[in-house]
Amino acid sequence: MSEAEGAKNRLFLGIDLGTSHTAVMSNRGKKFLLKSVVGYPKDVIGLKLLGRPYVVGDEAFEMRSYLDLRYPLQDGVLSEISDRDLEVARHLLTHVVKTAEPGPNDEICAVIGVPARASGANKALLLKMAQEVVHTALVVSEPFMVGYGLDKLVNTIIIDIGAGTTDLCALKGTVPSPEDQVTLTKAGNYVDERLQNAILERHPELQMNLNVACAVKEQFSFVGTPSGPATFEFRAAGKPVSCDVTEPVKVACESLMPDIIESIEILLRSFQPEYQNTVLKNIVFAGGGSRIRGLAGYIKDHLRSFGDAEVTCVKDPTLDGCRGALRLAEELPPQYWRQLGDVAGA
Ligand SMILES: Nc1ncnc2c1ncn2[C@@H]1O[C@H](COP(=O)(O)OP(=O)(O)OP(=O)(O)O)[C@@H](O)[C@H]1O
Ligand SMILES: [Mg+2]
């Protein structure tokens, strides 16, 4: 195929491959979000009920009672313990590409976001797999792709609080180097664990699991001063019981803050002194965790000794990552992708 014909048939995909959710946008207007999970029948009855060897995404989660659920990403990176784990990731990625409805002659070019400090080995593994399902793949760091989408590529710090990792990136007008990025393994899943323990400490009689803790968190999450009491209906011995969860929610959500603040301080100091005041006014939170109430004010207060900070949260934490990845894919031709990160197929 000639270069011109190839360009005509290019399907660009922006993929935010997350621990809990994968968000995708294409240059033909497709956008979708799915749980990053693959379900396999537990036995022959499950296979009969399902009628196929596996199912991907929210559908799998809904059928979880008779499926083995596998999450291919842990702490934001591919689990690489066994071939089985890699197969799970392959099934997820194949499903994502199929859902984007490529035509038979399309050249599929995907930009995939991963945690800021994902190891070289892990990126290579992801690229190897991506190459089986797309023609060209570029792996970039999650916060960088958010920054690209928001047109904030200079004098900015982006913090993406996901499920598995919190990723920070200092944007200095160049492709971020490893020193400009931090990945913390405390994020949404860690808050769920902390919250489950904090609630059980106070109310050992409650039937708790991580799904319940996550639901409590997503309904009431806050840091700093609560806007009012948070009451949740749990189950104890099969009966409904209402409990005040204000304090456990505060403790669990605030458990993320010290590491985030420390990492912001480190990244802030890495800018030239004349830019630091501007950077302080360009601190942006993204990812599902940016929905924590009071987050921007809390961070601003805790950075007071550095000056008057301006902290904001993105408008659309679900899709801003893949929107940025798609924009990058469309604006920068694949022949330049090698300058941006790890590439397969170009
Ligand atoms: N209102 C809310 N308050 C606090 N946390 C929330 C809220 N809504 C969603 N979350 C949490 O955000 C996390 C999911 O965010 P996101 O979709 O950005 O993660 P991910 O991209 O799948 O993970 P990662 O980037 O770590 O691979 C989950 O832990 C979810 O519970
Ligand atoms: Mg994410």
Side-chain angles (χ1 to χ4, degrees):
M1 203 188 293
S2 77
E3 179 65 24
E5 276 173 308
K8 234 184 357 210
N9 279 329
R10 269 185 187 150
L11 173 66
F12 287 110
L13 299 178
I15 303 176
D16 182 353
L17 197 57
T19 308
S20 70
H21 287 96
T22 295
V24 186
M25 269 197 197
S26 87
N27 60 328
R28 300 192 191 139
K30 269 250 166 206
K31 56 179 169 187
F32 53 94
L33 178 75
L34 67 156
K35 280 191 188 294
S36 305
V37 66
V38 186
Y40 300 88
K42 283 182 184 158
D43 59 21
V44 67
I45 301 298
L47 186 61
K48 183 185 156 46
L49 283 171
L50 192 63
R52 55 207 141 136
Y54 65 88
V55 56
V56 181
D58 301 61
E59 220 189 327
F61 193 72
E62 275 152 30
M63 301 176 189
R64 63 187 176 280
S65 59
Y66 61 90
L67 296 178
D68 242 346
L69 290 189
R70 300 282 192 127
Y71 290 83
L73 298 162
Q74 263 155 29
D75 294 339
V77 296
L78 290 175
S79 351
E80 43 188 308
I81 311 122
S82 70
D83 286 350
R84 177 79 201 273
D85 291 314
L86 294 182
E87 192 180 56
V88 179
R90 192 176 293 119
H91 287 157
L92 174 68
L93 217 54
T94 308
H95 176 84
V96 161
V97 171
K98 208 172 120 210
T99 311
E101 296 178 350
N105 299 319
D106 279 346
E107 182 191 341
I108 309 168
C109 305
V111 172
I112 306 173
V114 295
R117 298 295 297 268
S119 74
N122 212 275
K123 282 187 201 159
L125 203 63
L126 178 63
L127 279 172
K128 191 168 150 253
M129 198 165 308
Q131 219 177 354
E132 294 172 23
V133 277
V134 304
H135 296 92
T136 311
L138 163 67
V139 169
V140 289
S141 87
E142 281 186 59
F144 174 67
M145 93 195 160
V146 171
Y148 194 96
L150 298 175
D151 253 335
K152 286 191 174 286
L153 288 168
V154 65
N155 293 335
T156 300
I157 295 176
I158 308 260
I159 305 111
D160 180 319
I161 310 179
T165 58
T166 296
D167 289 282
L168 297 94
C169 183
L171 293 154
K172 299 177 175 170
T174 58
V175 176
S177 66
E179 299 77 57
D180 297 329
Q181 314 197 57
V182 180
T183 291
L184 306 168
T185 48
K186 284 184 194 163
N189 291 346
Y190 176 79
V191 174
D192 298 346
E193 281 165 36
R194 286 287 298 247
L195 183 56
Q196 167 168 306
N197 294 339
I199 293 173
L200 279 176
E201 245 169 53
R202 284 155 190 258
H203 305 283
E205 72 286 4
L206 297 180
Q207 275 189 293
M208 278 296 289
N209 62 30
L210 289 172
N211 294 333
V212 175
C214 184
V216 173
K217 173 193 73 177
E218 291 187 2
Q219 189 172 344
F220 297 111
S221 67
F222 76 96
V223 289
T225 317
S227 55
T231 317
F232 192 84
E233 193 169 282
F234 295 92
R235 297 240 152 209
K239 295 187 188 134
V241 190
S242 279
C243 291
D244 185 308
V245 289
T246 317
E247 195 55 27
V249 168
K250 178 181 164 80
V251 170
C253 292
E254 290 186 356
S255 71
L256 295 183
M257 298 300 124
D259 288 359
I260 291 179
I261 292 164
E262 193 193 329
S263 303
I264 293 177
E265 291 174 7
I266 291 170
L267 291 179
L268 181 64
R269 283 199 295 269
S270 76
F271 284 85
Q272 295 298 327
E274 63 270 39
Y275 300 130
Q276 291 183 4
N277 208 30
T278 313
V279 177
L280 205 56
K281 300 211 175 318
N282 268 314
I283 297 178
V284 183
F285 277 87
S290 67
R291 293 198 171 97
I292 296 175
R293 288 163 206 85
L295 178 64
Y298 186 97
I299 298 293
K300 183 180 161 76
D301 281 353
H302 284 77
L303 292 175
R304 186 131 299 168
S305 62
F306 291 82
D308 191 19
E310 277 175 35
V311 184
T312 52
C313 298
V314 298
K315 287 200 186 69
D316 186 359
T318 311
L319 293 176
D320 273 343
C322 67
R323 187 177 287 119
L326 174 63
R327 188 164 165 204
L328 194 154
E330 286 185 284
E331 290 183 357
L332 304 177
Q335 58 265 36
Y336 296 111
W337 287 7
R338 281 199 190 280
Q339 293 181 27
L340 298 168
D342 299 284
V343 177

